Amino acid sequence: MTTIETGRQAGPAQNATWRPSILALGARRAVTEIKAFNRDGLSLILILFFPIVMMALFGTVFGSDPSVGPPGSQVTMAQYYFPGMVALGTILSGFQNLSGYVAADRFNGGIKRLAGTPLPMLSYFIGKMGVTLYLIVGQTTILMVGSSLFLGVDLPTSWSDWLTITWLLLGATAAWAVAGTAFACLAKSTESATTLAVLPVLILSFISGVYFQFTGLPEWLQSVANVTPLRWTASGMRSVFLPEQFEMAEPGQTWALGMSAMVIAIWLVAGLILTRVTFKWPPQK
């Protein structure tokens, strides 16, 4: 009798003190975010297939003959543009899309409602990072498979090249994601966040070596691009997808992967600090 009574008292007490970990709650939040995003079919198709559509246009307009690069190492225009399109996906998924999602949560009451639940702020961010990771991995996979099958783009064959792709992709996306979150916290409305986020993406895509040869740009534009992750992500991707002879066309005639890592890391740390300062999570009751 004593044992049964003790058990009845211990059960509710244990349930009252047990809570899922922040990571577990963040993982569940990520699944919820991904399911919600998948229900918006049109947005899903536009975001995931935008880079491969751009690649198809380049392949159609410029043809499939090797015409770019030094004699003996020429590649097709599709192969030349491919690294830039992979790099472009990091700012599209990490900055443009995420800033719109966070701004929408701010102004439609989503954050206030979530703050009224046991969900910690950190789990909310893990959920947002989860859906961003889902987008960049899906977008890049579709781009690589489609470009290889239909445009003849050569993919790397060494594990070191794939390792470079992985850290560039994840690092740059994370850096843009925290920058996008801080940007969304400064916006005055959902509409302004969505509209204003397009401007830096558009400008940086034209001055960071995504569409044009970087060293062919005016020096002052190169200087502006040099302080952003997109320029260094694009050059890092070129080191993987283009022949080594193309390195001579880079500034300083080097891929400068160490500088790519440093710029991305600085943006990641600065973005985390800005997000911590600007993001407001209502007090939980």
Side-chain angles (χ1 to χ4, degrees), residues 102-111 184-193:
V102 174
D105 284 347
R106 282 186 62 214
F107 294 103
N108 67 10
I111 289 178
C185 295
L186 300 176
K188 299 300 182 185
S189 66
T190 305
E191 291 75 16
S192 67

Side-chain angles (χ1 to χ4, degrees), residues 4-275:
I4 293 174
E5 289 179 348
T6 302
R8 286 175 179 172
Q9 292 172 353
Q14 287 177 345
N15 290 335
T17 57
W18 182 84
R19 293 183 62 180
S21 67
I22 290 177
L23 189 60
L25 287 171
R28 292 182 186 180
R29 185 65 198 163
V31 172
T32 302
E33 296 264 4
I34 292 170
K35 286 182 178 178
F37 183 80
N38 286 341
R39 283 196 285 269
D40 188 354
L42 183 58
S43 296
L44 181 69
I45 292 173
L46 288 175
I47 291 174
L48 293 183
F49 286 87
F50 174 75
I52 188 63
V53 170
M54 291 295 291
M55 282 297 300
L57 288 175
F58 288 138
T60 303
V61 172
F62 297 109
S64 57
D65 295 330
S67 57
V68 186
S73 302
Q74 290 184 320
V75 298
T76 64
M77 288 300 287
Q79 185 79 42
Y80 181 74
Y81 279 120
F82 185 76
M85 297 311 298
V86 177
L88 183 63
T90 63
I91 191 172
L92 289 174
S93 295
F95 183 84
Q96 184 172 318
N97 295 331
L98 187 61
S99 61
Y101 302 152
V102 174
D105 284 347
R106 282 186 62 214
F107 294 103
N108 67 10
I111 289 178
K112 190 175 182 179
R113 287 193 295 273
L114 289 172
T117 71
L119 185 76
M121 181 177 68
L122 189 55
S123 298
Y124 169 80
F125 282 116
I126 293 174
K128 290 299 181 190
M129 290 298 172
V131 72
T132 302
L133 181 65
Y134 169 74
L135 290 179
I136 190 63
V137 170
Q139 191 179 67
T140 305
T141 301
I142 292 172
L143 177 61
M144 288 187 175
V145 173
S147 298
S148 178
L149 290 178
F150 302 111
L151 299 174
V153 170
D154 294 327
L155 300 180
T157 55
S158 70
W159 68 268
S160 61
D161 285 342
W162 284 106
L163 183 63
T164 301
I165 295 170
T166 301
W167 72 258
L168 279 170
L169 204 64
L170 297 182
T173 303
W176 284 120
V178 291
T181 303
F183 179 82
C185 295
L186 300 176
K188 299 300 182 185
S189 66
T190 305
E191 291 75 16
S192 67
T194 305
T195 303
L196 293 175
V198 174
L199 185 60
V201 174
L202 186 63
I203 294 174
L204 290 178
S205 64
F206 277 93
I207 68 173
S208 298
V210 172
Y211 299 121
F212 308 109
Q213 183 176 339
F214 186 69
T215 51
L217 298 169
E219 289 189 4
W220 69 273
L221 283 180
Q222 293 184 40
S223 299
V224 173
N226 278 337
V227 299
T228 71
L230 184 58
R231 172 262 187 269
W232 297 100
T233 308
S235 63
M237 291 297 178
R238 286 195 293 273
S239 74
V240 174
F241 292 103
L242 295 182
E244 60 182 14
Q245 290 82 358
F246 280 72
E247 188 174 11
M248 301 302 291
E250 294 290 321
Q253 299 180 343
T254 175
W255 299 120
L257 285 173
M259 183 62 76
S260 296
M262 187 170 71
V263 172
I264 290 171
I266 290 173
W267 270 70
L268 182 58
V269 173
L272 286 171
I273 295 172
L274 281 175
T275 298

